[in-house]
Amino acid sequence: LENLRNQISPHFLFNSLNTLMNLIPKDQDRAMSYLSKLSKFYRYTVSNQDEPLVPISTEVENATTYADLLHERFGKNITITLECTSANGKMTLPLSLQLLIENAVKHNIVSKSKPLHINIYCADDGYIHVENNLQP
């Protein structure tokens, strides 16, 4: 759990600020939207850093914000689907979905010729399933 809490790496912050820097001169409205999502993501990280568990619905909402940040960075080269409507009342570790998405991005090629597809869903068996196409 402590490793998860410390997982928000300086690389993510650097990449996020670099994305924002590129957006500002091109499209200020998109830049403001991106900054708002980045702020929301970090607010979630800080406010849940001492929580042992969070509702899966809350974690999915944060992972959706994280996915939006990645979509801005990678465009159509990444697809992230989050479907966990059957997880009502269930709990998970904070930032666990974000970490799994980050690992898929880190260990796979994300490009126009090889788009990355990540699918996260809550199955009837009670587990959260995370799948992605393998592109080392």
Side-chain angles (χ1 to χ4, degrees), residues 4-134:
L4 279 174
R5 289 184 178 139
N6 295 326
Q7 191 62 35
I8 307 300
S9 71
H11 293 285
F12 172 71
L13 182 58
F14 172 78
N15 288 334
S16 297
L17 293 174
N18 198 24
T19 299
L20 181 61
M21 185 176 68
N22 288 323
L23 276 175
I24 291 171
K26 294 177 186 172
D27 188 335
Q28 290 183 358
D29 289 337
R30 276 178 52 204
M32 289 302 295
S33 174
Y34 184 84
L35 183 58
S36 176
K37 290 174 185 177
L38 184 60
S39 175
K40 180 179 178 181
F41 175 76
Y42 272 103
R43 188 176 310 112
Y44 175 86
T45 301
V46 170
S47 65
N48 289 293
Q49 68 183 359
D50 295 327
E51 297 296 325
L53 297 172
V54 296
I56 289 177
S57 59
T58 303
E59 182 64 12
V60 167
E61 184 179 330
N62 184 62
T64 300
T65 301
Y66 182 71
D68 288 346
L69 296 171
L70 291 177
H71 284 127
E72 192 61 55
R73 180 174 166 208
F74 292 109
K76 295 178 182 177
N77 301 332
I78 191 166
T79 304
I80 302 170
T81 306
L82 291 136
E83 294 286 335
C84 278
T85 55
S86 65
N88 292 338
K90 295 182 181 168
M91 308 288 276
T92 190
L93 297 170
L95 299 172
S96 56
L97 296 180
Q98 177 271 331
L99 177 63
L100 294 169
I101 294 168
E102 183 180 25
N103 276 341
V105 171
K106 180 179 180 180
H107 296 289
N108 288 281
I109 293 172
V110 182
S111 69
K112 186 175 183 177
S113 62
K114 290 187 171 189
L116 182 62
H117 304 285
I118 303 169
N119 185 26
I120 300 172
Y121 62 95
C122 296
D124 293 335
D125 61 9
Y127 289 94
I128 299 173
H129 295 258
V130 180
E131 302 168 343
N132 65 273
N133 52 325
L134 185 61

